[in-house]
Structure formats: structure tokens, C-alpha cells
Amino acid sequence: MITLPIVGLIDSVRTAEIMDNLLQTVARTRARFAILDLTGVEVVDTGTASHLIGMIQAIRLLGAEGILTGIHPVIAQTIVSLGVDLTRVGVHAKLRDALQYCITRLGRSKRPAAPTAGT
């Protein structure tokens, strides 16, 4: 599991750098989850919001689940204005909620399979 807190102003250039570093790390560590915590970001333009969604999609292509947390209302409005389908994107209000989600999912995948009848 990777957690990336993003703080301050982010533009398309910074988002591209973040994406490159994050995707390299996801591939190298074989992370199952990558959490992007936007608590420290108050506003993004539509281009940057589009890059963030692209980042989540790229994470999925590497076999990990991308999760967004800490989205401010203005950012939520920007993402919605793009008309992006977020049904397959994990979104949690707080980083703590996302971490709990990941820990629970990891715990389920490590449990041994229940014996089947007749074995």
C-alpha cells in the first residue's frame, strides 16, 4: 500500500511528475493500493483534475487500486464538471477511512480459503 499526500498548488506539470513517480513506485513495489490524499489541495483546474483521474486509471492498469481521499468541495465540483465516471474509483472522505478500507481488504485476501463440502 502506498500513500501519497499531495500538498499545495498542483498544476498539470506537477501532476505529470507525480504520476511518473507514483507509477514507477507502484510497479516497483507491486503495491495493491495507492492512496492519493488531496487534503492539502484546495483547488485544481479542469486539466489537473483530468490528470488526477488519469492517474487513478493508470494505477489500475498496473494492477493496483487507486483511491482518492480528502477532496475539497471545489475540487469535487471541478471533477463533476468534467463528467467523469467515478463509479470504479475508490473515494473516501478521510485518509483514515481509506487506510481502514485497504487494511480490511488486505486482511480478507490473506485468509485461507474455507474448506468445501466433501474435502
Side-chain angles (χ1 to χ4, degrees), residues 42-95:
E42 293 185 18
V43 65
V44 297
D45 61 21
T46 55
T48 302
S50 182
H51 276 95
L52 288 169
I53 300 306
M55 200 179 316
I56 296 296
Q57 293 169 335
I59 290 166
R60 185 177 297 120
L61 289 173
L62 295 177
E65 183 177 344
I67 300 171
L68 294 173
T69 66
I71 298 176
H72 286 267
V74 174
I75 296 173
Q77 288 177 336
T78 302
I79 291 173
V80 169
S81 73
L82 291 172
V84 177
D85 179 17
L86 295 177
T87 55
R88 295 184 62 206
V89 176
V91 179
H92 296 272
K94 297 179 181 179
L95 177 58

Side-chain angles (χ1 to χ4, degrees), residues 3-113:
T3 303
L4 177 62
I6 302 174
V7 179
L9 180 65
I10 57 172
D11 56 15
S12 295
V13 173
R14 184 167 176 222
T15 306
E17 292 171 358
I18 291 169
M19 181 188 287
D20 184 49
N21 291 331
L22 178 63
L23 295 179
Q24 293 294 332
T25 303
V26 167
R28 186 179 69 250
T29 63
R30 297 181 182 169
R32 295 231 358 244
F33 299 96
I35 302 170
L36 303 179
D37 181 25
L38 302 174
T39 304
V41 179
E42 293 185 18
V43 65
V44 297
D45 61 21
T46 55
T48 302
S50 182
H51 276 95
L52 288 169
I53 300 306
M55 200 179 316
I56 296 296
Q57 293 169 335
I59 290 166
R60 185 177 297 120
L61 289 173
L62 295 177
E65 183 177 344
I67 300 171
L68 294 173
T69 66
I71 298 176
H72 286 267
V74 174
I75 296 173
Q77 288 177 336
T78 302
I79 291 173
V80 169
S81 73
L82 291 172
V84 177
D85 179 17
L86 295 177
T87 55
R88 295 184 62 206
V89 176
V91 179
H92 296 272
K94 297 179 181 179
L95 177 58
R96 179 183 197 153
D97 298 334
L99 290 170
Q100 184 62 48
Y101 167 81
C102 294
I103 290 167
T104 300
R105 293 279 310 267
L106 287 170
R108 286 184 192 156
S109 68
K110 292 184 180 181
R111 291 185 189 153

